[in-house]
């Protein structure tokens, strides 16, 4: 009989790195808010960044896993966890490829919040997804639903920038940077393609990890342990 996979929701290493992830994410965002208040940056701009939203989602998902055992989580929770993983990992990749200055890509001299939200937390969440199997089987096709949030974010950003205050959170969303709306097809298309491929990759990894570990990712029921 195959030995059960040792890294499950209540394993000491898993609980430890999840606590570390939550603490780092909270500290980084608290630091961001401190800087926002000091600089006069509008809250409506700060919280409109996909990076900030993805990190807040990570806090919610990680805290949920720490506080609620798998048996008591809703059936859709693993998809929420998978979507959060895809969003934060892709946040780090898009930052490294499109947004970071060339000298920042491999440098660790950048400020704490930048390093935490774009590098360390994406790695921690990715490793958590890879090493701790889901409680339920991920249906690969349903990973397509994870694209709804990035698409909604894209639409809301364009509506805000085009109709409300002219502010866009990222250069690849700003028609003024690319010579008009037609010029956004290539940069925005690249990001959307990266998200689509990344989401299906994360969903595929989740499905494979479940198959390898089977039900060992679930905690034993009280009747089985009593």
């Amino acid at each position: 009989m195959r030995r059960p996979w040792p890294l499950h929701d209540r394993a000491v290493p898993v609980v430890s790195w999840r606590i570390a992830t939550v603490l780092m994410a909270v500290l980084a965002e608290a630091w961001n808010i401190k800087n926002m208040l000091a600089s006069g940056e509008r809250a409506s701009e700060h919280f409109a960044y996909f990076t900030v939203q993805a990190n807040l989602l990570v806090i919610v998902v990680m805290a949920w896993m720490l506080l609620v055992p798998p048996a008591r989580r809703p059936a859709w929770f693993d998809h929420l966890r998978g979507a959060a993983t895809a969003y934060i990992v892709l946040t780090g990749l898009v930052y490294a490829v499109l947004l970071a200055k060339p000298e920042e890509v491999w440098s660790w001299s950048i400020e704490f919040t930048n390093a935490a939200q774009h590098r360390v937390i994406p790695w921690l969440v990715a490793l958590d997804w890879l090493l701790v199997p889901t409680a339920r089987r991920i249906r690969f096709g349903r990973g397509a639903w994870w694209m709804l949030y990035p698409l909604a974010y894209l639409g809301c950003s364009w509506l805000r920038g085009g109709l409300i205050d002219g502010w866009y959170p990222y250069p690849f969303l700003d028609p003024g940077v690319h010579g008009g709306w037609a010029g956004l097809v290539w940069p925005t298309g690249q990001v959307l393609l990266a998200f689509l491929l990344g989401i299906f990759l994360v969903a595929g990894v989740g499905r494979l990890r479940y198959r390898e570990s089977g039900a060992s990712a679930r905690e034993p029921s009280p009747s089985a342990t009593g």
Side-chain angles (χ1 to χ4, degrees):
M1 182 178 178
R2 185 190 304 178
R3 295 177 60 186
W5 182 247
L7 295 177
H8 52 80
D9 279 87
R10 292 300 177 259
V12 172
V14 175
V15 172
S16 299
W17 79 55
R18 286 178 175 174
I19 291 175
T21 303
V22 170
L23 291 177
M24 178 175 290
V26 169
L27 178 59
E29 188 50 32
W31 198 299
N32 272 339
I33 293 173
K34 172 183 173 294
N35 292 337
M36 177 189 74
L37 296 174
S39 66
E41 179 189 13
R42 293 189 297 175
S44 62
E45 292 181 359
H46 173 73
F47 290 105
Y49 287 107
F50 193 91
T51 296
V52 173
Q53 295 177 15
N55 275 270
L56 291 176
L57 180 59
V58 165
I59 294 172
V60 171
V61 170
M62 286 287 180
W64 196 336
M65 289 190 292
L66 286 168
L67 298 173
V68 181
R72 293 174 54 192
R73 297 173 197 160
W76 44 262
F77 180 81
D78 286 316
H79 281 279
L80 177 65
R81 180 188 169 204
T85 301
Y87 301 156
I88 195 65
V89 169
L90 288 162
T91 292
L93 289 175
V94 170
Y95 169 78
V97 174
L98 293 179
L99 301 175
K101 297 176 182 177
E103 63 271 18
E104 291 180 355
V105 175
W106 300 108
S107 173
W108 282 98
S109 61
I110 58 177
E111 62 182 5
F112 164 71
T113 56
N114 199 344
Q117 294 188 325
H118 290 115
R119 295 186 184 178
V120 181
I121 293 172
W123 273 107
L124 288 173
V125 177
L127 287 173
D128 186 88
W129 181 255
L130 180 64
L131 296 176
V132 185
T134 58
R136 296 173 177 83
R137 186 185 302 275
I138 292 289
R139 295 187 181 182
F140 188 73
R142 289 190 178 179
W145 290 100
W146 303 358
M147 276 297 293
L148 289 180
Y149 174 64
L151 289 173
Y153 179 87
L154 179 67
C156 290
S157 298
W158 279 341
L159 285 173
R160 172 180 176 166
L163 300 178
I164 299 176
D165 59 7
W167 182 83
Y168 299 90
Y170 300 105
F172 60 82
L173 298 177
D174 189 346
V177 174
H178 298 279
W181 292 98
L184 294 178
V185 172
W186 175 244
T188 305
Q190 284 182 297
V191 174
L192 287 178
L193 180 61
F195 264 77
L196 184 64
L197 295 176
I199 279 172
F200 278 112
L201 177 61
V202 170
V205 168
R207 183 174 178 84
L208 289 174
R209 290 297 294 116
Y210 178 87
R211 284 178 173 176
E212 289 176 5
S213 302
S216 63
R218 300 193 184 108
E219 289 187 337
S221 63
S223 60
T225 58

